[in-house]
Structure formats: C-alpha cells, structure tokens
Amino acid sequence: MSRDVPATGAAKRGARAQAQRDRILDAAQRCFAERGFHGASMAMIAEAAQMSPGLIYRYFAGKSELIHGIVSRQVELLADDFEEMESGARDPVDTIVDNYCACMADADDAGAAPHDALLDATLILEIVAESSRDPVIAEALNLLDQRIDVGLGSWLARPDAAGGQGTPAALLPARKLILRALLDGLKMRQVRDPDLDPALLREALQDALPRLREA
Amino acid sequence: MSRDVPATGAAKRGARAQAQRDRILDAAQRCFAERGFHGASMAMIAEAAQMSPGLIYRYFAGKSELIHGIVSRQVELLADDFEEMESGARDPVDTIVDNYCACMADADDAGAAPHDALLDATLILEIVAESSRDPVIAEALNLLDQRIDVGLGSWLARPDAAGGQGTPAALLPARKLILRALLDGLKMRQVRDPDLDPALLREALQDALPRLREA
Amino acid sequence: MSRDVPATGAAKRGARAQAQRDRILDAAQRCFAERGFHGASMAMIAEAAQMSPGLIYRYFAGKSELIHGIVSRQVELLADDFEEMESGARDPVDTIVDNYCACMADADDAGAAPHDALLDATLILEIVAESSRDPVIAEALNLLDQRIDVGLGSWLARPDAAGGQGTPAALLPARKLILRALLDGLKMRQVRDPDLDPALLREALQDALPRLREA
Amino acid sequence: MSRDVPATGAAKRGARAQAQRDRILDAAQRCFAERGFHGASMAMIAEAAQMSPGLIYRYFAGKSELIHGIVSRQVELLADDFEEMESGARDPVDTIVDNYCACMADADDAGAAPHDALLDATLILEIVAESSRDPVIAEALNLLDQRIDVGLGSWLARPDAAGGQGTPAALLPARKLILRALLDGLKMRQVRDPDLDPALLREALQDALPRLREA
DNA sequence: CATGAATGAGCCTTCATTCAT
DNA sequence: CATGAATGAAGGCTCATTCAT
C-alpha cells in the first residue's frame, strides 16, 4: 500500500500532479475539519493550499470531488490499523482508543499534514450524511466501507490464537454489524462529547469487547 | 403521541400558533430529510408548509431554530420508547429494531406527519455535525442527549427483575458509553446501508445485548 | 397656536383620533431618533405606541406620512421659540443654546413625551435628506421652513429697541440666509460632535451674533 | 485633481484594482445621490458600475465601506480648496460659492465622473446622519472632519497679511465652531432650497465673513 | 375600531465555478 | 500550468403593507 504503486485511480498521474492533488486535499481536509463542508469555501481551501481557486478545478471537478479524494486517501490509512489488529501485534482496544485520541489531537494542531491523519469526527458525519445525496461521495465511501468490512470480518473470523476473535461464520454478519455500529457510534460520541475521558473509553472497551466474543 | 395537549415549553402559545409551528416544523423536517440542512432553503420549507417565507420568522428566529424545534419534539417521542424499555413491557431489542425500522419506513412515504415520526437518520448525522458549530443546535441536542442518557442509565441500573439490566453503579458509565455508541452507530449504519435486513439487526442485538450485562 | 383651534390639517378630526395620532407620532419620533428612519420598523413603532401595526395605517397612509406628521407638529413648538426671541424677553443666544441642549437632553431620556420635544438632530438630517426625494416629506418641511423664515425675518427686521436686530430691508435676505445656515449647521455639528461643550457654543454665539448686526 | 498618482492609502493597490474601485465608487456616488443610501441597492450600484453585484465585494467589504471610500476621496478634493484659501490666492468667498455651485451643477449632469466632484449635498446629510449609527461611516467622516478642522483652523489663525484671518488663539475654537456650522448649514440650505441664487449667497458671505473677524 | 397573522418583494451578501490572460 | 477577476444564481432574512376576523 506504499506509494511505489500509485494509489487507486491515480494510475496515470505524474508525480507533480499527485503532489498538487495531495496539497489540495490536505488543505481541504483542514478547512472542512475547521469549518465543515458547507462552511469552508473553495476560496478558503485555495488559500490554505496556497494556490488560486481556479487551479483546484484542474485537479478536481468540484467541491464534492474533494470529499471523494479525502475519503479515498483514508482507505490506505485504515490498512495500517487493520494490519495491527489482525497481526495481533497490539490490543485492539489500544488501536481503537489511539485512533480515537488521534482524531482529537489532530483537531488541536491545525498544522499537521492531514493526509496521514484520520478524518475529523465531525467531518465523517458530514460525509456520511452527504453520501446519501451525493453519488460521488457515496461511491468513495462505499470503497472505504467495504475495506473496513473486510478488515473487521477477517479479524473477527481469524482464530483466537492468530490474534483474531475466533468468531464462527454463522455469527459473523451479526457481530460485524454490532462492532461496526459501535465503532461508528464512537465517532458520534466524539462529536457530541469531545471531553470524554479516554480512560473511560478504554475501560468501556475492555469491558465490552471480550463480551462480544464467542462464550 | 398526538399533540392534543400542547407540547412541553409551549404552554403559553395559542393553539393557532402551535399549529403553525408544527406545520413549519413538519415541512422543515421533510425538506431537511430530503435535501439536507444546507440543501433545503427557507423558501423551499415555506412552500412545503404552504406559507410565505417571511411567516416562518414569526415563529422561528432562524434556520437553526427549526432544527432546535425539530429536535425538541423528538425528546417527547423518545420518552415513549424509554417508558417501554423501562417498564419491561417489551423486549428492548424489539424497541430498538422497531425504532430502526420506523425511520426507514418514514423515509419512504413523504406524506407522513413528521412530528410523530423519528428523525431521519441522515438528518441526525447532519444535526450532530452541525451541533459542533452551531450553538443553537447544540443546545437542542444537549437536551436530547441528556434525556437519552438518563433513560439509558436508569434502564441499565434498574434491577434485572424490574425489567432493567442490573448494572452495578461502578460499571454504569462504561456500559452507558458502549450502549450509547452502539445505538448512535446504528444510525450511521442506517445511512450507509439502508437495505440492512432488520432480521439481521435483531439477531445481532439479541446476541450482543445479553453479553453486555453483568456476567 | 394652542389646541383650541385644531392644528393644520386636523380640522375635522375628533379628539380621540387626535390622541391616537399623537401617540403614534410620539412613538415614531422616539423610534426614529433611536434607530433612524430606515432603521425603525413599523412593527417597532407600533409596539412603542402600544398598538397593532395595522392600526397605524388607519391614521397614517404610510411610513413617510409619519415624518410628515412629526414635522408638522414641530411648527407649533417653534412658535414658542420665536415668540421668545421676538418679544425680546430673552437673549436669543440663550434660546439657541437651550434649544441645542434640549435636543441633547431628549436623546438621553427616552421617556420624554416627544410631541413637545424638539426633533433629534440626526433625525432632522435624515428628514431633510429624505425631503429631496419624498414629496410628502418635502411638503411638511416646506411649511416648517417657511415658518422659520418668517420668524427669523421678523426678528431680524424688528427695530433694535423692540428686541429685534434692526436689520435694514436690503440686507434682510442675506442676513437671513447666514443666520439660517448657521442654525442649521449647528444641527450638523450636534450630530458629528455630540460632546460639544455648551459653554463654547454660548461663547461662540455671543461673539458671532452681535457681529452679524448692522454696524 | 485627476488620479494619475494613486490616491492616499492606495499605495499598494494595482492600477487595475484602483480603477475598479473608482468605478464602483463613482457608480455608488451617483446612485446614492439619486436614491439615497438606503434607496440605492447594491444591485443597482453594480449595474451602474457595469459589473456583477458579487464583484463589488471583492473591493469593498460592504455597503458602508462604499461610503467610507467615497468620503475618503473627498478629503483630497478638499485639500485643494484649503490650499486656495490658505494661500490667499483667492477670496474665500469665491471658494465657498464656487464649491456650492459646483455641487449644484454636479447634481444636474449625471454623467460627470463623481470622483472629481464634490459630494451631493443630500448625500452629505445622509452620511452625517448615518455616521451616528454606523461606525464604518463614522470613521470615514472623522477623517474628513479632522481635515476640515485643521484647514479651517490654520486659515483662521494665519495672520491677516498672509491671507488668513488673524484670529487670536483664544477665540479660535469659538470662531471655528461658528464657521464650521455656517459651512455645514449651507449644505442643508442647498438641499432645502436648491434654487437659491448664488449671487445672494455671495452677498451674504461678503457681508458676514468680514464681520466674523477680530474687530 | 382594532388586531396581528400573513404576504411577498426585495435586500445584502456569499460562493462554486469559469475563463481571459 | 496557473492566476484571480468576474459571474450570477441563490440564500437567509426583513419589513411595509394588507386584510380576515
């Protein structure tokens, strides 16, 4: 998943173009996180990317293509998390909590390069909401969703000994649904209650996760 | 569940005024569900409510106040769900699944009177996202959140025999967090995967909920 | 000029109607002074007059008729000032300074009944400006202007011994113009520099007025 | 008096930008003179300037900033008048009368480039009135006022022989006040009585001005 | 007479997007 | 490629005025 092989959809793009795209996406992600999708203007994004508004349109067809681009980039980031979880190298609780905390931290320092930062929780909600009306965004999100689904599924299915959860195939869809909802729901909690104590979150997960395994 | 008796906070309002407010809120809820908060214009809402744009402002101070009004109405609807859950009159799984299905159904027939309907899942995401930037919306959501928190907390804490979950006080915050996240997350799943089989949802909940109780 | 004989244009009006008109005009004058002609809404005026917006239209044809009414009322107030000046009962400097100070005072206590208060200086500017575009207002102002012109003229012309200025007829138009400009200009200074020391004003007038008389 | 060299405060602005600003200001000045500050809409001004409404906002933050810009331009025009007066090159009466007549003439031919023209008298009243409620406008007017104050003060104080009035320092504030009021008042007369004979004005000034000097 | 709900035109402003340079 | 000026369609909101009650 490294950049040796260009990312999905970027097959033919030159290095320069890719750099520009990333610069724009970084700026957009920062602006969207700060002001929301509708609150951030193309002009603002252009300024954040230190280029003219017109140039953005050379790389992206419109504002919602920016969301598409941002979401697509996330797919790669996610891969890392799943590798960790699946390899058993790390307690899944840690991964989730870290992931949660990372988002919070990102929100604080606006200088971070967002292309390897997780999506701001509020932005995720906006994207998901938007996806129900905007096919371009829906498409991007479908990819992400699928990736998560596969990752979660394989982690759940993998034998206990191999760092998985040993979930029987029959229970897999149900467990996946619950786990997915729980993870998504955490994003909503994050938005509603940004001061949530990470320790409580960890405690809650440590209590809940084991309970969700086969008895 | 109907509005024979004026709703909370509307004590002093005339019947006519209350009816107008509800008409506006119904129209707004429909428009927001269909086009999103930013996508639905006041003009569109006015038309849906069959009145002039200016008139809306006699009843609501601005667009965000419409969300405030919509969310506030939901608080009452929620009360019913919690009564059911707490009274033990009904399996909580049924309540959740029904609630879930109700939303889906509402989305289909646009003619339904929304003031008796649960919020469209997409709209919920938008509202939550917006709440992080709009104090008016945040306030309304705080009320709702609090109500849910109390309801969930008392259900969890109530002794097993009394239709509760018998959760020890020490575990309450953690369990509440998990449950809350799970419920919220279901809304996100609903948006992302509207075709989810209710039967799977029920199965998943029947598997998960008992596991989240004291061993 | 007392109310024994109804004021100009009020010939046929009943006492009740007159009272209503005055109440409206009072409210309007207060609102206009506070927020300006364009800044004060009919709704605001109605509330200040403790009546419904619709009722105002029973007594006045529109917003600019309110200005007409306000200006017309001033004609009577002015009469008093001129009587003083002409009778020689009082130093004209005192009259002008008092008049000036009265306006400032009015601005402070909003409770005063404006129908016997001088027009707020800012409002005067607005009215004069408006008069160049609104014939209704122009008409009212013409009356006021004429009255002032006559009053000023007769004071200037009256023999010195009779409390006047003993201005020769040949110089009258010129002197009237200067005096008029000076008086009007004071209104503008009042708006631009509300903190002007009344003592300085008195000093200035005591220096200038005598110089403007026949050598 | 032309704008060959960019005006004060425009040092860094490109020639194109400056031209656009002037075009907008010209249009605004014309529209404001014709319909008043509140009567002229941004759309109308944009049309007069032959551009889209949105473009105005690239050059001015809002409607009040247009007034600010218009007033600021006047400061420069005023400088010329004061130079004349102070240099003694010209009878101050002439300067005032010319200035007065210039305004009247401008009002007639709407085609004149307003950036070289004095403010329409009616517009001045509106601006002064508005300044008491709009800080942006107040700021612009403060600058103008100050400039006039300095100019008038130095002319009054300058020795008689040097084309001044030789006013003793002790009398300066009072004389300045009177002169200022008289000049301002002339603007009001201009609005109220546009047909005033310039000859009468000249006569009046020639009579009054010398009288306002040290005996 | 009086009310106040209702209208609807219009206002200022923003912003995604385009295009001449 | 890149710029940034320019467009023009909305958008949210206000308010003078009307009219059914």
Side-chain angles (χ1 to χ4, degrees):
Chain A
M1 195 57 56
S2 59
R3 273 293 143 60
D4 299 346
V5 175
T8 316
K12 293 264 184 50
R13 268 194 287 274
R16 167 67 183 284
Q18 194 50 240
Q20 290 281 59
R21 283 178 59 94
D22 270 329
R23 207 145 70 100
I24 294 168
L25 257 18
D26 284 356
Q29 191 164 332
R30 250 178 293 132
C31 292
F32 288 156
E34 202 177 317
R35 310 272 302 253
F37 178 64
H38 296 280
S41 72
M42 290 301 269
M44 183 181 299
I45 293 168
E47 195 185 23
Q50 292 173 278
M51 60 177 66
S52 65
L55 192 51
I56 294 181
Y57 287 85
R58 190 168 290 279
Y59 297 99
F60 296 92
K63 208 179 179 189
S64 42
E65 294 285 355
L66 293 178
I67 294 288
H68 183 112
I70 290 172
V71 172
S72 296
R73 287 201 310 188
Q74 289 286 312
V75 175
E76 297 155 38
L77 259 5
L78 265 173
D80 300 335
D81 286 347
F82 281 123
E83 271 166 30
E84 268 184 14
M85 275 176 95
E86 292 179 21
S87 70
R90 214 172 161 212
D91 184 357
V93 169
D94 286 336
T95 305
I96 298 175
V97 172
D98 281 5
N99 180 315
Y100 182 96
C101 294
C103 281
M104 301 312 297
D106 289 341
D108 291 341
D109 77 299
H115 67 268
D116 46 45
L118 267 357
L119 248 35
D120 172 80
T122 303
L123 183 51
I124 292 181
L125 299 204
E126 276 192 297
I127 290 175
V128 172
E130 208 67 14
S131 77
S132 75
R133 280 179 292 261
D134 186 325
V136 173
I137 295 181
E139 189 215 302
L141 220 39
N142 282 340
L143 237 63
L144 186 64
D145 259 12
Q146 252 168 55
R147 185 68 192 81
I148 295 177
D149 219 58
V150 169
L152 235 41
S154 89
W155 176 66
L156 284 171
R158 187 182 314 269
D160 210 352
Q165 296 282 94
T167 310
L171 287 173
L172 210 51
R175 295 269 165 94
K176 224 158 57 175
L177 175 59
I178 291 295
L179 198 51
R180 197 62 215 283
L182 202 155
L183 257 19
D184 284 352
L186 247 22
K187 292 295 171 196
M188 277 177 89
R189 296 324 304 154
Q190 203 167 336
V191 174
R192 289 299 305 145
D193 183 9
D195 298 324
L196 171 66
D197 182 7
L200 175 60
L201 173 60
R202 160 164 282 119
E203 179 201 332
L205 288 170
Q206 274 164 344
D207 174 53
L209 250 36
R211 293 170 179 276
L212 293 175
R213 307 181 50 180
E214 186 57 21
Chain B
M1 188 159 313
S2 57
R3 211 68 351 102
D4 299 348
V5 174
T8 313
K12 290 269 187 49
R13 268 193 287 272
R16 173 61 179 280
Q18 193 49 237
Q20 290 285 62
R21 282 180 61 94
D22 271 328
R23 205 145 73 100
I24 294 167
L25 256 18
D26 286 355
Q29 193 164 331
R30 250 177 293 132
C31 292
F32 288 153
E34 200 178 318
R35 309 275 299 254
F37 179 64
H38 294 281
S41 71
M42 292 301 274
M44 182 182 299
I45 294 168
E47 197 183 18
Q50 295 181 98
M51 60 178 65
S52 64
L55 191 51
I56 295 181
Y57 290 86
R58 176 174 291 275
Y59 299 99
F60 296 92
K63 211 181 179 188
S64 320
E65 297 284 1
L66 293 179
I67 295 288
H68 187 113
I70 290 173
V71 171
S72 296
R73 285 201 309 190
Q74 291 287 313
V75 174
E76 296 153 41
L77 258 9
L78 263 173
D80 299 334
D81 287 346
F82 281 122
E83 271 166 31
E84 269 183 14
M85 276 176 93
E86 291 180 24
S87 69
R90 211 169 162 214
D91 184 356
V93 169
D94 287 336
T95 305
I96 297 174
V97 173
D98 280 4
N99 181 316
Y100 182 96
C101 294
C103 282
M104 300 313 296
D106 290 338
D108 291 341
D109 75 301
H115 69 270
D116 274 347
L118 266 357
L119 246 35
D120 173 79
T122 303
L123 183 50
I124 291 181
L125 298 204
E126 272 193 301
I127 290 176
V128 172
E130 210 63 19
S131 77
S132 74
R133 277 178 288 262
D134 186 326
V136 171
I137 296 181
E139 194 216 289
L141 220 38
N142 283 341
L143 240 63
L144 185 65
D145 259 11
Q146 212 170 291
R147 184 69 192 80
I148 294 178
D149 218 58
V150 169
L152 236 39
S154 89
W155 176 65
L156 285 171
R158 186 181 315 271
D160 210 351
Q165 295 283 94
T167 310
L171 287 174
L172 210 52
R175 294 268 165 94
K176 223 157 58 175
L177 175 59
I178 291 295
L179 196 52
R180 197 63 217 284
L182 202 154
L183 258 17
D184 284 353
L186 247 22
K187 292 295 171 195
M188 270 176 99
R189 294 327 303 154
Q190 204 167 335
V191 174
R192 289 301 304 142
D193 183 10
D195 299 324
L196 171 66
D197 181 8
L200 175 59
L201 173 61
R202 160 164 283 119
E203 181 201 331
L205 289 170
Q206 273 164 345
D207 175 52
L209 251 37
R211 292 170 181 276
L212 293 175
R213 307 182 51 182
E214 187 58 20
Chain C
M1 194 56 57
S2 58
R3 276 290 146 62
D4 298 347
V5 175
T8 316
K12 292 265 184 47
R13 267 195 288 273
R16 166 67 184 283
Q18 194 50 240
Q20 290 281 57
R21 281 178 61 92
D22 271 328
R23 206 144 72 99
I24 294 167
L25 257 18
D26 285 356
Q29 191 164 332
R30 248 177 295 134
C31 292
F32 288 155
E34 202 178 318
R35 310 271 302 252
F37 179 64
H38 295 282
S41 71
M42 291 301 269
M44 185 182 299
I45 295 169
E47 195 185 21
Q50 293 172 277
M51 60 178 65
S52 67
L55 191 50
I56 295 181
Y57 287 84
R58 191 167 289 278
Y59 296 99
F60 297 92
K63 209 180 178 188
S64 42
E65 294 284 357
L66 293 178
I67 295 288
H68 183 112
I70 290 172
V71 172
S72 297
R73 286 200 310 188
Q74 290 286 312
V75 175
E76 296 155 39
L77 258 6
L78 266 174
D80 299 337
D81 286 346
F82 281 122
E83 271 167 30
E84 267 185 12
M85 276 176 95
E86 291 179 24
S87 68
R90 212 171 164 213
D91 184 357
V93 169
D94 287 337
T95 305
I96 297 174
V97 173
D98 281 5
N99 180 315
Y100 181 97
C101 294
C103 282
M104 300 311 297
D106 289 343
D108 291 341
D109 77 300
H115 66 270
D116 47 43
L118 266 358
L119 248 35
D120 172 79
T122 303
L123 183 51
I124 292 180
L125 299 204
E126 277 192 298
I127 290 175
V128 172
E130 208 67 15
S131 76
S132 75
R133 279 179 293 260
D134 186 325
V136 172
I137 296 181
E139 190 216 301
L141 219 39
N142 282 340
L143 237 63
L144 186 64
D145 259 10
Q146 254 170 52
R147 185 67 192 81
I148 295 178
D149 219 56
V150 169
L152 235 41
S154 87
W155 176 65
L156 285 171
R158 187 182 314 269
D160 210 353
Q165 295 283 95
T167 311
L171 287 173
L172 209 52
R175 294 271 165 93
K176 224 158 57 178
L177 175 59
I178 292 295
L179 197 52
R180 196 62 215 284
L182 203 154
L183 258 19
D184 285 353
L186 247 22
K187 293 294 171 196
M188 274 175 92
R189 295 324 306 154
Q190 203 167 336
V191 173
R192 289 299 305 145
D193 183 10
D195 298 325
L196 172 66
D197 182 7
L200 175 61
L201 173 61
R202 161 163 281 119
E203 180 200 332
L205 288 171
Q206 273 164 346
D207 174 53
L209 249 38
R211 292 169 180 276
L212 292 177
R213 308 181 50 181
E214 186 58 21
Chain D
M1 187 159 312
S2 57
R3 209 83 334 112
D4 299 347
V5 175
T8 314
K12 291 270 187 48
R13 267 193 288 272
R16 171 62 180 277
Q18 192 50 236
Q20 290 284 61
R21 282 179 60 93
D22 271 327
R23 205 145 74 98
I24 294 166
L25 255 18
D26 286 355
Q29 193 165 330
R30 251 178 292 134
C31 291
F32 288 154
E34 201 178 316
R35 309 274 300 254
F37 179 66
H38 294 282
S41 70
M42 293 301 273
M44 182 182 298
I45 294 168
E47 196 184 17
Q50 297 181 93
M51 59 178 65
S52 64
L55 191 50
I56 295 181
Y57 290 86
R58 178 173 289 274
Y59 298 100
F60 296 93
K63 212 182 180 188
S64 318
E65 297 282 1
L66 293 179
I67 295 288
H68 187 112
I70 290 172
V71 171
S72 296
R73 288 201 307 189
Q74 291 287 312
V75 174
E76 295 154 42
L77 260 7
L78 262 173
D80 298 334
D81 286 347
F82 281 122
E83 271 166 30
E84 269 185 11
M85 278 176 92
E86 292 180 22
S87 69
R90 212 172 163 212
D91 184 357
V93 170
D94 287 337
T95 305
I96 296 173
V97 173
D98 281 5
N99 181 314
Y100 183 97
C101 294
C103 282
M104 300 312 298
D106 291 339
D108 290 342
D109 76 301
H115 69 270
D116 275 347
L118 267 358
L119 246 37
D120 172 78
T122 303
L123 184 49
I124 292 180
L125 298 204
E126 271 194 301
I127 290 175
V128 172
E130 210 64 19
S131 76
S132 75
R133 276 178 288 262
D134 186 324
V136 172
I137 297 182
E139 194 216 289
L141 221 38
N142 283 341
L143 240 61
L144 185 65
D145 259 12
Q146 213 170 287
R147 183 70 192 78
I148 295 179
D149 218 58
V150 169
L152 236 40
S154 88
W155 176 65
L156 285 172
R158 188 181 312 269
D160 210 352
Q165 295 283 95
T167 310
L171 288 173
L172 211 53
R175 294 271 166 93
K176 226 160 53 178
L177 175 59
I178 292 294
L179 197 52
R180 197 62 217 283
L182 202 154
L183 257 19
D184 284 352
L186 248 23
K187 292 293 171 198
M188 269 175 97
R189 296 323 307 154
Q190 205 166 334
V191 174
R192 288 302 305 142
D193 183 9
D195 299 324
L196 172 65
D197 182 7
L200 175 59
L201 173 60
R202 161 164 283 117
E203 181 201 331
L205 289 170
Q206 274 164 346
D207 174 52
L209 250 36
R211 293 170 179 276
L212 293 176
R213 306 181 51 181
E214 186 58 19

